[in-house]
RNA sequence: UGUCCUGUGGUGUAAUUGGCAACACGUCUGAUUCUGGAUCAGAAGAGUCUAGGUUCGAGCCCUAGCAGGACAACCA
């Protein structure tokens, strides 16, 4: 975990999972032990929803002095790849959590799982069904109508065992038959109607190669894996609620002591203005609506990292949103608040001009370069100061000037005096335009006595604006991001595809920006605050010749609200 | 004509397990400020899905409803 002494303590009351744990400790059912697991399927990149689960599993264990395993739920070789395993490990570590040497795979248990299936067959609790998928599905009935039993349900243990061995030996084609648990076709819970537990797949597995051609289903692997790893609290999302009786049923068949893992469900994270399903995220990537899984607009952990989010901000966010069983929608504003809060304390301040307008200080000597002392981080005096070069010609932000300002605009306009941050008071004397009437340059005078930013006569100015020297600077490309979708809940419209709600202006590239020289040599992912504009970090696309910055998030901006009144 | 889960300010969570609903984000004032940021002070905003009941007292307990969600992959 971060040792940052600025670390924010987010105070949150006990959630329902912690209450369950504490009751368990009181009753000593689990001898006070807490052991959780984070069980991703390696079939895609992790997103902010997984971050919630990671923080929950690792965070809960940490709180109660327990352990957390990382377990890859790799029971479906047709979807899973090693590439995803690596990215998942990187993301969990980046978030600040460590699973020690407890890196497991459901595929570690293929032998034991197979043995267990054999044991069920011998107990008469599993059978091989030769029917095709459609038939089996039809016999399942509906949620409101009971299913009917398979004609193969009554096969003898000997016959089932023989068939299952031959399935394993590869004698049958994919789909020819499956192994089913024999439970209750009339159960009101669909998952108890003789669920399929093994299917034939002649696809090589990313870890076990072609050793197997039969693979266990999720329901037949998850609880058993929990059991073998000694998991006490198996935390998963709400949609598995109806699986719990089956989870418990398998463990009942398996357990030989008082110990049993307990499945606890919580509501998955829904964030406003984004989509969270792997399928939809994959679609965005494949159809090139974004530039890859780590596009800074993506809600993936790799995307957020590239965007400039910090691990601590995500952990705090996760703490703040809490954990319940209520399906809701969290406002992205809360996520944004979490980064601002963290970056405000830690980010190096710097001046950068995104939309440059040239200003000539007509009263300032040509060729002179003065070094102005600037504060690196007002929230942290220990960060010290730096020198920013000031010259006769500078750039300011185009929208920091208005020729005909409204009443509440107190930046630069003809005749008004403003402060150039850490430099001088200046007054605009001339507005230079091209033939089309566009403002191309401003002329200002300066008050030499105000050097450093204060006038000895105590005179006040309404506003302070940022600037960058036209000669002493670093040229940069800046990428501005906006929400990917214009709709609060793009997936929430039954008849309309989520892509219909994409924001066409979610990416804006500004190729001609200027930043003060201080940023020279900064590394990819380094964070800065561009004063008055927002938090930015260095994109990995950055080269020593062209620096590329991503805007993580804007500063809070009461002026823009004022404007829209 | 099913099973399971869930209903608290705009949003998210809390309420010492029955004691006049708290916190965060957001919103709005004001102070302060060399970032229209941050900080500080304050305000508005729910009477807890509905209707009954128990109780001196109910967001918490009981009954009956209503609303939303999950479940019918050889996905996880």
């Amino acid at each position: 975990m971060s040792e940052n002494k600025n670390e924010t303590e987010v105070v949150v009351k006990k959630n329902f999972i912690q209450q369950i744990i504490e009751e368990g400790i009181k009753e000593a059912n689990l001898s006070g032990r807490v052991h959780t697991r984070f069980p991703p399927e390696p079939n895609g990149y992790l997103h902010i929803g997984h971050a919630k689960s990671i923080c929950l599993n690792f965070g809960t264990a940490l709180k109660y002095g327990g352990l957390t395993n990382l377990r890859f739920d790799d029971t479906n070789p047709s979807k899973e790849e090693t590439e995803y395993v690596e990215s998942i490990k990187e993301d969990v570590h980046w978030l600040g959590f460590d699973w020690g040497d407890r890196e497991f795979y459901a595929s570690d248990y293929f032998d034991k799982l197979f043995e267990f299936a054999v044991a069920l067959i011998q107990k008469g609790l599993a059978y091989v069904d030769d029917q095709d998928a459609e038939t089996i599905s039809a016999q399942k009935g509906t949620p409101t109508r009971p299913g009917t039993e398979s004609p193969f349900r009554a096969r003898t243990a000997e016959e089932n065992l023989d068939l299952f061995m031959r399935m394993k030996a590869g004698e049958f084609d994919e789909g020819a038959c499956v192994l089913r648990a024999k439970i209750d076709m009339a159960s009101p819970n669909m998952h108890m109607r003789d669920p399929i537990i093994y299917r034939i797949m002649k696809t090589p597995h990313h870890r076990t190669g072609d050793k197997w051609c039969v693979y266990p289903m999720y329901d037949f692997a998850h609880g058993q894996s929990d059991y073998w790893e000694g998991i006490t609290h198996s935390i998963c999302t709400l949609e598995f609620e109806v699986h719990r009786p089956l989870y418990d049923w398998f463990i009942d068949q398996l357990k030989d002591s008082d110990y049993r893992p307990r499945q606890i469900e919580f509501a998955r994270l829904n964030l406003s203005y984004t989509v969270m399903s792997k399928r939809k995220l994959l679609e965005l990537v494949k159809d090139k609506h974004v530039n890859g899984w780590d596009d800074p607009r993506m809600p993936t952990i790799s995307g957020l990292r590239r965007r400039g989010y910090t691990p601590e901000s995500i952990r705090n966010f996760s703490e703040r949103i809490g954990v319940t069983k209520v399906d809701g929608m969290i406002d992205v504003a809360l996520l944004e608040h979490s980064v601002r809060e963290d970056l405000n304390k830690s980010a190096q301040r710097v001046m950068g001009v995104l939309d440059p307008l040239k200003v000539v200080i007509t009263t300032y000597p040509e060729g002179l370069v003065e070094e102005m002392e600037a504060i690196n981080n007002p929230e942290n005096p220990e960060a010290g100061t730096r020198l920013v070069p000031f010259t006769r010609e500078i750039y300011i932000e185009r929208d920091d000037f208005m020729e005909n300002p409204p009443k509440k605009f107190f930046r630069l306009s003809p005749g008004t005096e403003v402060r150039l941050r850490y430099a001088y008071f200046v007054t605009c004397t001339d507005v230079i335009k091209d033939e089309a009437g566009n403002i191309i340059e401003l002329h200002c005078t300066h008050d030499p006595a105000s050097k450093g930013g204060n006038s000895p006569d105590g005179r006040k100015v309404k506003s302070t604006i940022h600037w960058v020297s036209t000669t002493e600077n670093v040229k940069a490309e800046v990428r501005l991001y906006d929400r990917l979708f214009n709709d609060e809940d793009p997936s929430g419209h039954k008849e309309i595809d989520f892509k219909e709600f994409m924001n066409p202006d979610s990416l804006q590239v500004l190729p001609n920006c200027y930043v003060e020289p201080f940023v020279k040599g900064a590394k990819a992912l380094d964070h800065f605050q561009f004063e008055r504009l927002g938090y930015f970090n260095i994109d990995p696309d950055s080269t020593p010749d062209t620096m590329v910055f991503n805007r993580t998030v804007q500063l809070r901006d009461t002026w823009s609200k004022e404007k829209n009144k």
Side-chain angles (χ1 to χ4, degrees):
Chain A
M1 298 290 290
S2 166
E3 295 301 324
N4 185 345
K5 62 183 153 210
N6 281 328
E7 184 145 357
T8 309
E9 279 302 321
V10 176
V11 183
V12 174
K13 300 283 174 60
K14 260 175 219 141
N15 63 50
F16 82 100
I17 293 178
Q18 292 166 345
Q19 286 174 16
I20 289 171
I21 288 173
E22 294 190 7
E23 281 160 23
I25 289 171
K26 250 182 277 168
E27 296 164 13
N29 282 347
L30 301 160
S31 20
R33 201 165 62 80
V34 175
H35 201 148
T36 58
R37 98 270 94 111
F38 173 62
E41 181 186 16
N43 70 342
Y45 285 76
L46 260 26
H47 55 62
I48 181 79
H50 295 105
K52 176 181 180 183
S53 170
I54 291 166
C55 292
L56 218 204
N57 277 292
F58 282 92
T60 303
L62 240 30
K63 182 176 168 93
Y64 293 96
L67 298 170
T68 305
N69 296 355
L70 175 63
R71 181 168 73 233
F72 291 96
D73 232 328
D74 55 351
T75 56
N76 185 349
S78 69
K79 291 182 155 186
E80 297 146 6
E81 291 170 32
T82 304
E83 174 200 347
Y84 295 127
V85 170
E86 295 311 317
S87 80
I88 288 168
K89 291 188 337 192
E90 182 190 353
D91 288 347
V92 175
H93 271 148
W94 179 77
L95 273 176
F97 297 105
D98 187 37
W99 54 90
D101 59 356
R102 295 174 312 283
E103 176 180 327
F104 299 118
Y105 295 79
S107 53
D108 292 340
Y109 312 120
F110 282 171
D111 285 295
K112 289 169 93 166
L113 254 5
F114 187 85
E115 277 173 40
F116 180 47
V118 167
L120 288 185
I121 291 172
Q122 286 165 337
K123 284 204 270 181
L125 292 175
Y127 62 96
V128 173
D129 195 329
D130 298 351
Q131 303 178 105
D132 60 30
E134 297 70 50
T135 310
I136 290 176
S137 169
Q139 286 169 354
K140 275 228 160 133
T142 69
T144 55
R145 226 167 336 166
T148 51
E149 296 185 352
S150 163
F152 298 96
R153 199 173 198 263
R155 289 218 257 228
T156 64
E158 292 68 32
E159 190 182 357
N160 282 318
L161 200 52
D162 173 62
L163 256 13
F164 190 45
M165 288 303 177
R166 288 164 60 194
M167 278 171 66
K168 183 196 181 194
E171 285 186 33
F172 306 117
D173 291 335
E174 282 189 20
C177 49
V178 290
L179 185 70
R180 295 228 253 169
K182 191 191 284 188
I183 306 179
D184 177 8
M185 287 306 290
S187 169
N189 182 334
M190 296 289 291
H191 295 276
M192 301 299 275
R193 322 239 263 228
D194 289 11
I196 292 168
I197 59 179
Y198 262 94
R199 77 294 212 181
I200 298 169
M201 294 186 95
K202 300 199 168 170
T203 308
H205 185 278
H206 70 107
R207 294 186 74 242
T208 61
D210 53 12
K211 177 179 177 192
W212 297 90
C213 62
V214 289
Y215 291 93
M217 299 287 288
Y218 164 85
D219 284 308
F220 194 68
H222 202 96
Q224 289 89 309
S225 303
D226 285 342
Y227 181 83
W228 287 319
E229 288 177 20
I231 300 303
T232 54
H233 303 269
S234 183
I235 303 167
C236 62
T237 47
L238 246 28
E239 65 268 29
F240 291 103
E241 229 154 13
V242 283
H243 292 242
R244 184 162 13 105
L246 184 55
Y247 177 100
D248 288 335
W249 192 87
F250 287 128
I251 286 168
D252 283 337
Q253 307 308 318
L254 189 60
K255 76 188 189 81
D256 54 7
S257 70
D258 284 345
Y259 156 73
R260 71 178 309 141
R262 172 171 179 180
Q263 177 180 303
I264 301 167
E265 309 85 9
F266 73 99
R268 66 162 1 110
L269 170 65
N270 294 306
L271 251 196
S272 62
Y273 299 100
T274 191
V275 296
M276 210 69 97
S277 88
K278 272 186 192 172
R279 200 210 90 221
K280 293 194 176 88
L281 294 176
L282 180 66
E283 200 176 329
L284 291 176
V285 172
K286 277 201 171 149
D287 299 348
K288 309 265 193 233
H289 291 107
V290 295
N291 304 311
W293 286 99
D294 68 343
D295 186 298
R297 291 166 292 178
M298 291 282 274
T300 50
I301 294 179
S302 50
L304 291 166
R305 174 166 59 226
R306 187 167 173 185
R307 174 76 170 260
Y309 276 77
T310 58
E312 191 193 345
S313 67
I314 293 175
R315 278 188 252 121
N316 284 162
F317 169 73
S318 167
E319 198 57 44
R320 238 186 288 258
I321 60 178
V323 36
T324 62
K325 304 183 77 125
V326 186
D327 244 318
M329 165 91 66
I330 277 137
D331 193 337
V332 266
L334 195 55
L335 219 209
E336 293 175 346
H337 169 262
S338 297
V339 233
R340 286 198 191 99
E341 174 188 62
D342 186 28
L343 259 16
N344 176 48
K345 291 175 316 192
S346 61
Q348 166 74 43
R349 310 288 127 125
V350 108
M351 289 194 285
V353 174
L354 305 191
D355 186 9
L357 173 62
K358 188 170 161 187
V359 174
V360 180
I361 317 290
T362 53
T363 49
Y364 194 84
E366 280 181 54
L368 178 62
V369 179
E370 286 184 287
E371 302 280 345
M372 302 301 187
E373 187 174 36
I375 294 164
N376 284 332
N377 183 350
E379 305 296 316
N380 176 17
E382 287 174 32
T385 60
R386 68 186 185 284
L387 298 175
V388 188
F390 183 80
T391 54
R392 176 181 157 96
E393 298 192 354
I394 57 172
Y395 295 116
I396 66 166
E397 211 66 60
R398 186 165 284 274
D399 65 12
D400 279 342
F401 175 78
M402 277 187 103
E403 195 171 14
N404 301 299
K407 313 112 235 106
K408 286 198 175 169
F409 182 86
F410 35 86
R411 280 114 97 155
L412 193 61
S413 55
T416 63
E417 185 174 52
V418 300
R419 172 168 34 232
L420 294 175
R421 176 138 237 224
Y422 299 125
Y424 290 102
F425 284 11
V426 295
T427 305
C428 176
T429 52
D430 284 294
V431 181
I432 317 295
K433 297 179 182 174
D434 65 11
E435 287 165 10
N438 301 309
I439 299 170
I440 52 171
E441 191 176 305
L442 259 29
H443 287 183
C444 291
T445 56
H446 79 300
D447 174 5
S450 64
K451 182 175 176 186
N454 282 304
S455 173
D457 63 9
R459 187 166 91 247
K460 300 279 188 209
V461 288
K462 263 302 214 16
S463 165
T464 300
I465 64 175
H466 60 276
W467 52 273
V468 171
S469 163
T470 59
T471 51
E472 310 295 310
N473 64 49
V474 174
K475 205 160 179 241
E477 172 181 316
V478 173
R479 299 174 183 169
L480 303 183
Y481 301 100
D482 198 356
R483 41 187 59 140
L484 246 190
F485 296 91
N486 284 321
D487 190 86
E488 199 177 64
D489 184 14
S491 312
H493 305 265
K494 298 220 160 54
E495 307 296 326
I496 313 171
D497 186 79
F498 73 101
K499 295 193 297 303
E500 297 292 311
F501 299 101
M502 290 199 73
N503 175 7
D505 305 314
S506 60
L507 170 62
Q508 196 185 345
V509 178
L510 305 175
N512 301 308
C513 308
Y514 298 94
V515 188
E516 65 170 274
F518 185 85
V519 298
K520 231 175 271 179
K523 312 182 305 289
L525 264 32
D526 280 355
H527 304 278
F528 295 95
Q529 183 196 97
F530 287 8
E531 294 216 31
R532 304 210 302 132
L533 296 179
Y535 296 99
F536 294 73
N537 78 338
I538 296 189
D539 191 87
D541 284 349
S542 213
T543 66
D545 294 331
T546 3
M547 296 195 84
V548 179
F549 290 87
N550 294 316
R551 184 174 68 194
T552 308
V553 65
Q554 286 175 277
L555 256 31
R556 274 186 74 228
D557 183 4
T558 48
W559 164 241
S560 65
K561 283 170 198 150
E562 187 69 38
K563 272 192 299 191
N564 294 327
K565 270 182 184 170

